[in-house]
Every structure is written in C-alpha cells, then in structure tokens.
Amino acid sequence: MTREEFARLCAKKTVLLDGATGSNLIARGMPRGVCTEDWVSKHPQILLELQKEYVAAGSDIIYAPTFSANRYSLSRAGLQEQVEELNTSLVRLSKQAADGKALVAGDMTTTGVPLEPNGTMEYSRLFDIYREQASALAQAGADLLVVETMLGVEETTVALEAARDVCNLPVMCSLSVQSDGSAYFGGNCVEAVETLQELGADAAGINCSCGPEQLVSLVRNMKQAARIPLLVKPNAGMPTISDQGEAVYPMSAEEFAEHMLRLVEAGANLIGGCCGTAPQFIAEIRKRV
C-alpha cells in the first residue's frame, strides 16, 4: 500500500481497526508469561481463527501479531536471532487470515526501556532494533506499519525514523497515555501528534491504558493540532483485578461502540479496540459507523 492510497482511504471513510489480540489468545489457551510471538508461530490456527473473526466483524486493518518481535524483547526468551523468521511468518499468517479482505499492519512496540539520559537505552541501539524489525516486516509483505502502545514521544520518533529509513510504507503511530494525555516516558498526546506528523507519520494517536469514555477531550485537542488522520484504539474501560489476579474490563460491546461513535464525532479517523475488546466489539462499532 502506498502512502497516498492510505491517505485516500482515511479521507473516504472511518477506518475500522481490529481489537485486542493478547487477551483473546489467553482466553483461547495461550499460557500467561510465554513469548506471544513464539507461541503463535507454534499454534497458528488459533490466531487465524481470531483474525478471521475480526475481518468478518468489519475490520479494515488487522495487526500482525509481531508486537514485541524485536531483538531486545525477543532476547528475554532467547529468541533474538529469530527476528526475521518470526516477523516473516507472522505477517504471512495474518495475510492468510485477511484473505485480501483487510489490510495487514506490521506491529511494533516499545522496548520498555527509556532513552538516555532518563534511562539506559542508547539512541543508536534503539534505532537499530526498530530498523531491523521494520525491514523484516516490510520484506514480509506488510501493507503498512503500526508503532503502538508507545510510552513516550521520543522513542516513537526513533521507531518512525527507523521505519522511514528502510521503506516507504504508511506508518501509523499511537502512544499509551494517562487520562490527562501525558505519556509515561515524557510528552503528551498533542505534542506527539505535532511531532510525528512533522517527521512523516501517516496517522497518529493513542491506544491502550484508558477507556473511550475518558478520551473525548483528548481527541478534540489532538484534532486541533492534526494535519494527518487520528488513530484511537482504547481499552474496554478501566479494569478491576479479580481474585485470580486477572484484569476484568467493565464495558460491554454495545457500550464501547457507543463511546467510540462519540470519538469519531470528536475527530477520530481510525478506530478499534485494545485490551478487553473482542470481535463482537468491532461488529458493534461497524453497526454505528
């Protein structure tokens, strides 16, 4: 997909993304604490079924399960030499699920380590980490890239610059922010939109952390600063922790979809769900948008 084609798609309609992946895989049998990317590669049918359900529900774009398939994160499971192998196989798996009915975004996320001087991650090292994964995703046939659940503006710019260094695919960027819009590693959602669009992001916004009911004012503020499409992919409300230590998200699919409609009215162009959402959430959004 070209960047021009992506811009035309976002101008034509509200683009529907997918919902959560990890929590749904756990519900379907993935053990907690394993390397998700490795587990999915060994249990492809479960991911295929989930993503086919998202496509049937109306998702225009699904995220390949390559979230943490970068050298740094994979090293925790001793899989740091399998960056190309895992990204390639997982993109192809999602392309199979999409079956030409949806686009597939190669997914990248934070390493969880702040950049120097506030943390221990060097710029050049982080750039190389993201460059390696972005290259693998592009060569595997991803239609576009998404840099998501990022914890700070600075690390997001590094990922975007690395992606731009290896390909000209559309790149969407979204940060995980607190309810006041501030990012965990510094900056805020409005600053993120302003900075990322200057550096060539094709869409920018927020995902995870908050429920949609908390985001109307943030989306309006981002819209005032945005010259590119806004992406909003929140959780199904703020979770409570069960006696078993599991996060329980309060919103029904219908309630979530009603709140997402309000975010579209506030200026969101690309919408979907994060933690606690499932294919039925996407289906309910599709009914309303």
Side-chain angles (χ1 to χ4, degrees):
M1 185 183 212
T2 68
R3 298 176 67 188
E4 293 74 19
E5 289 170 338
F6 178 81
R8 288 195 294 269
L9 174 66
C10 294
K12 182 172 65 173
K13 66 174 187 174
T14 301
V15 177
L16 195 51
L17 307 171
D18 60 8
T21 297
S23 58
N24 284 289
L25 293 177
I26 290 172
R28 298 178 189 216
M30 184 178 75
R32 295 181 181 276
V34 302
C35 173
T36 299
E37 293 75 19
D38 183 51
W39 189 88
V40 169
S41 71
K42 295 173 180 175
H43 303 82
Q45 193 58 39
I46 295 175
L47 187 281
L48 279 172
E49 291 171 358
L50 173 62
Q51 293 199 316
K52 286 180 179 179
E53 290 174 19
Y54 277 128
V55 174
S59 294
D60 299 302
I61 300 173
I62 58 174
Y63 288 14
T66 56
F67 188 66
S68 294
N70 63 71
R71 177 170 293 273
Y72 183 89
S73 299
L74 289 176
S75 68
R76 300 183 183 121
L79 301 173
Q80 61 272 19
E81 299 305 322
Q82 296 186 34
V83 172
E84 183 175 357
E85 177 184 341
L86 283 170
N87 282 280
T88 299
S89 64
L90 294 174
V91 166
R92 290 175 179 172
L93 189 61
S94 289
K95 296 281 278 189
Q96 182 181 343
D99 193 27
K101 301 170 187 173
L103 298 168
V104 172
D107 196 357
M108 300 163 59
T109 194
T110 179
T111 62
V113 182
L115 282 160
E116 294 178 335
N118 298 317
T120 58
M121 181 65 73
E122 299 175 352
Y123 173 94
S124 59
R125 183 185 182 196
L126 187 61
F127 182 89
D128 289 343
I129 288 169
Y130 285 134
R131 189 183 189 281
E132 180 182 31
Q133 187 182 11
S135 177
L137 291 169
Q139 292 180 30
D143 298 300
L144 67 161
L145 302 180
V146 58
V147 179
E148 62 146 330
T149 323
M150 302 299 282
L151 299 178
V153 177
E154 190 174 9
E155 66 172 3
T156 313
T157 64
V158 178
L160 175 59
E161 290 169 346
R164 282 280 165 261
D165 193 54
V166 297
C167 71
N168 199 37
L169 292 175
V171 181
M172 308 185 296
C173 300
S174 62
L175 279 73
S176 179
V177 299
Q178 301 176 68
S179 57
D180 64 355
S182 59
Y184 295 91
F185 284 178
N188 61 59
C189 59
V190 174
E191 292 173 4
V193 169
E194 293 171 338
T195 300
L196 294 168
Q197 65 188 6
E198 291 299 326
L199 292 176
D202 297 280
I206 49 183
N207 78 287
C208 202
S209 64
C210 300
E213 78 282 9
Q214 299 176 283
L215 300 180
V216 174
S217 63
L218 297 186
V219 172
R220 287 175 179 157
N221 290 339
M222 289 189 294
K223 186 66 174 179
Q224 292 179 352
R227 301 190 308 274
I228 56 177
L230 287 182
L231 184 161
V232 186
K233 206 172 189 277
N235 294 342
M238 295 299 290
T240 57
I241 304 301
S242 71
D243 294 338
Q244 292 74 38
E246 298 178 353
V248 178
Y249 293 86
M251 281 192 179
S252 67
E254 294 80 3
E255 184 182 3
F256 183 83
E258 287 296 331
H259 283 291
M260 293 306 297
L261 180 57
R262 296 188 186 105
L263 296 183
V264 171
E265 293 167 350
N269 306 99
L270 301 107
I271 57 172
C274 205
C275 303
T277 64
Q280 61 265 36
F281 284 66
I282 304 305
E284 289 296 330
I285 296 174
R286 176 59 74 195
K287 291 178 183 177
R288 292 163 174 78
V289 178

